[in-house]
Amino acid sequence: VRALIVDDSAVMRKVIERTLRQAGLTLLEVLQASNGEEALDLLRQDAAAERRLNIIFTDMNMPVMDGLTFLERKRSENLALGVPVVIITTEGSQSLVLGAIAAGARGYICKPFTADQIKQRIVPLLHAAA
Amino acid sequence: MIEQLDSAVAEVFESMLGMTCCPVEPETAFVPNLAVTIGFTGQIEGRCRIGLTSTAARTVLKALLGAEPDCADSMIVDAAGELCNMIVGSWKSHLPPAQAVALLSLPVTSHEVTGSLDDGPPPPLKRLYNFNGNLLAMALRVEIST
């Protein structure tokens, strides 16, 4: 699996990567970005090099560019089309969930989370996108 | 509010750090040297501030990452910020849905902590917890919009 993790906390990026490995995912490469703008840059580089991600995880509440704006810009620039995006955040309100889904997110995981919860949500998305 | 806060703290420590964290009697001698504040605005307004020592924050970092992580000061501060973020998010999710509609600010960290974590009026809800022999102080200030 080739994954992108977008979170302003370096600790949380490592926690997510560690949890993905604990959930049994074989991670070939993990790209990391600390906000939506950095993530868009990585997606543009991937597009130029014709590389493909399998899954994207993004936080919602970030400085510079938040998760919702990232999703909207990603879609408007036709970047990583078909790659499932999963929101991992403490912001679990219904309006934010609906906003993220409307902007293209395929899943939603609230912190705190467990490896089992990650596995249950992620594996079906990876299979569906394969 | 205390029940929801205790539940949130327990949930975060058990699921993310693999350890228990229980309320203890207030201890006047406890002086944290690291504080994190997160504000919230919406149906509820206020802020949550946690206080802990750098040693306790390092314990949190090690529990989050496992093994022997990079314990640079920035990572220790980052871990404390995420701990506060997860506790506030979890606490909010334990509130009735009508009250849970509030946006969280980004964590603000400070190394200069006054003796009492939050002295402003009116007095906030205060709580002290123990995890693995470390203390975690919390001050929660909440106003519910009508």
Side-chain angles (χ1 to χ4, degrees), chain A residues 9-11 18 61 91 112-113, chain B residues 15-16 64-65 78 82 104:
Chain A
S9 162
V11 169
R18 179 176 180 236
N61 196 9
E91 293 284 3
F113 51 77
Chain B
S15 59
M16 297 298 292
L64 281 171
L65 299 185
D78 190 350
E82 269 307 309
L104 306 185

Side-chain angles (χ1 to χ4, degrees), chain B residues 10-23:
Chain B
E11 184 180 64
V12 168
F13 273 81
E14 282 166 22
S15 59
M16 297 298 292
L17 285 80
M19 59 178 74
T20 56
C21 185
C22 303

